[in-house]
Amino acid sequence: MRDPYEVLGVKRSADAAEIKSAFRKLAKKLHPDANKQDPEAAAKFAELNAAYEILGEDDKRKAFDRGEIDAEGKPRFQGFEGFGAGAGGQAHAGFGRDGGFQSFSWGTDGAQQAGGGFGGFEDILKEAFGGGGAGRRGGGGARRRQPFTFEQEEFGPEPTGGDLAASVTISLNEAANGAKRRVHLPTGKEVEVKIPAGLADGKQIRLKGQGIPGPGGAGDVLITVHIAPHPYFKVEDGTNLRLELPITLYEAVLGGKVRVPTLDGAVELNVPAGTNGGRTFRLKGKGLPGDNKTHGDLLAMVRIVLPDGKDADLDELMEKWRESKPYDPRKDLA
């Protein structure tokens, strides 16, 4: 991977604000959503995320600047200075490709491997602290006066790749009963998402390891679920549904049975005589599913609807009522 400073396009003297600003600008420019025609967009975005994982955290940045970790955030072994390696030479150490400890000496004959595995590490300690070997042959090593302990510095986990965001819109019926949907990701990949019953609008589903690849593993996909508006029902308090129920003037006055739609079929509601507009009836368990296998309720609010067009008989009846039985429903609004 390239130098993270080069990836972000900032100087090594840049402060945290400059690094954050550079990352935001490049993230917007390189995001796969904005580069759908570029087959390398995901890789470029992953490289940017990995660079910011290092430079965006003060401890990791300092470790990188000191040469303790590489551009991928992996630890680098720095070696030991001051070990004897013969006249005019120096001894250094590091880990080999197989993970074993390797020591090298630089002298008049160039670089030479001094040993392998952790046995070589013990030999170097002996040479450094008067135990014989190259240090003694090179003019005598320092005497070991105190116990020597080697502690391997621990680093955090390797940064994972970036997360991807996507969204899907489902119907209210699908939200109530659960559904499966094919979702197109910004990378061009298509995945099948299982949407559990009762998922609220705006909630997210996380798909582990299906995001942008990184040195520590792929990131996640976060899918935001939206519920499309329903022509009759409105979601209220998470699991309750509200419905505006139209009834006739004579149903309001005389009462009667009224069919009420629900998400799982129509039911009959007994409207009492003398029902006023705005009265709300609660239909238990006819809402959306919630936690612990519970269901919300359906709240049906009555709305009295007059017949279409002008009706002479209704006009005459209302005029008689106005004259013989006047009343003021707004007397409490003074």
Side-chain angles (χ1 to χ4, degrees):
M1 178 178 163
R2 292 185 296 155
D3 186 295
Y5 287 100
E6 179 185 345
V7 174
L8 288 170
V10 296
K11 297 180 180 179
R12 289 184 175 270
S13 59
D15 59 25
E18 290 174 311
I19 289 174
K20 187 174 184 179
S21 176
F23 171 72
R24 286 182 172 178
K25 290 179 181 178
L26 288 172
K28 185 176 181 180
K29 177 182 177 182
L30 299 178
H31 196 282
D33 277 351
N35 300 273
K36 295 181 179 180
Q37 304 303 320
D38 184 359
E40 298 181 358
K44 293 176 182 177
F45 192 65
E47 183 183 48
L48 177 66
N49 273 277
Y52 188 65
E53 281 282 347
I54 294 176
L55 300 188
E57 294 186 22
D58 188 56
D59 291 342
K60 287 186 179 180
R61 182 183 179 184
K62 289 178 179 178
F64 176 78
D65 289 343
R66 292 193 298 263
E68 296 170 355
I69 60 176
D70 61 18
E72 294 183 358
K74 297 179 180 178
R76 282 176 174 163
F77 190 80
Q78 297 301 306
F80 297 88
E81 297 181 358
F83 295 165
Q90 289 183 319
H92 292 270
F95 287 100
R97 293 185 179 182
D98 59 354
F101 189 90
Q102 304 289 324
S103 60
F104 298 86
S105 62
W106 282 265
T108 56
D109 296 329
Q112 296 179 346
Q113 183 172 334
F118 282 95
F121 171 67
E122 293 173 357
D123 292 340
I124 290 177
L125 294 182
K126 290 179 181 178
E127 295 169 8
F129 298 100
R136 179 172 292 178
R137 289 193 299 271
R143 289 185 176 274
R144 179 175 179 180
R145 295 183 178 179
Q146 296 180 357
F148 179 85
T149 59
F150 173 76
E151 296 181 359
Q152 181 178 356
E153 187 171 358
E154 294 184 357
F155 297 89
E158 294 178 343
T160 58
D163 292 340
L164 290 175
S167 63
V168 62
T169 300
I170 61 175
S171 69
L172 187 60
N173 290 77
E174 288 174 321
N177 302 307
K180 289 183 178 181
R181 283 295 188 89
R182 303 292 296 182
V183 178
H184 291 275
L185 303 182
T187 57
K189 182 180 178 182
E190 188 179 77
V191 295
E192 185 174 76
V193 181
K194 184 178 181 181
I195 301 170
L199 192 68
D201 182 69
K203 292 293 184 180
Q204 290 184 325
I205 296 174
R206 182 183 294 271
L207 303 181
K208 286 282 192 179
Q210 298 202 40
I212 298 174
D220 303 333
V221 172
L222 299 175
I223 300 177
T224 304
V225 178
H226 299 290
I227 301 175
H230 193 277
Y232 310 137
F233 305 112
K234 289 184 179 180
V235 181
E236 187 174 278
D237 299 329
T239 57
N240 290 337
L241 295 177
R242 182 169 288 277
L243 166 71
E244 195 174 79
L245 180 65
I247 64 172
T248 65
L249 179 59
Y250 51 83
E251 285 171 332
V253 173
L254 303 176
K257 292 184 177 180
V258 178
R259 288 179 63 82
V260 180
T262 72
L263 288 176
D264 54 1
V267 297
E268 283 193 340
L269 171 66
N270 188 26
V271 177
T275 294
N276 287 315
R279 181 175 178 178
T280 299
F281 296 91
R282 183 182 293 269
L283 282 67
K284 298 288 289 185
K286 292 300 181 179
L288 295 172
D291 298 333
N292 301 322
K293 297 182 180 180
T294 61
H295 272 72
D297 302 329
L298 173 60
L299 306 175
M301 185 184 71
V302 168
R303 177 169 61 90
I304 299 173
V305 180
L306 298 178
D308 294 335
K310 194 74 171 173
D311 189 291
D313 292 338
L314 182 59
D315 290 348
E316 183 180 355
L317 176 61
M318 291 300 102
E319 287 175 359
K320 289 181 180 179
W321 265 79
R322 183 174 59 188
E323 293 174 3
S324 62
K325 298 182 179 180
Y327 68 101
D328 185 4
R330 296 176 295 278
K331 62 182 179 180
D332 296 330
L333 298 180

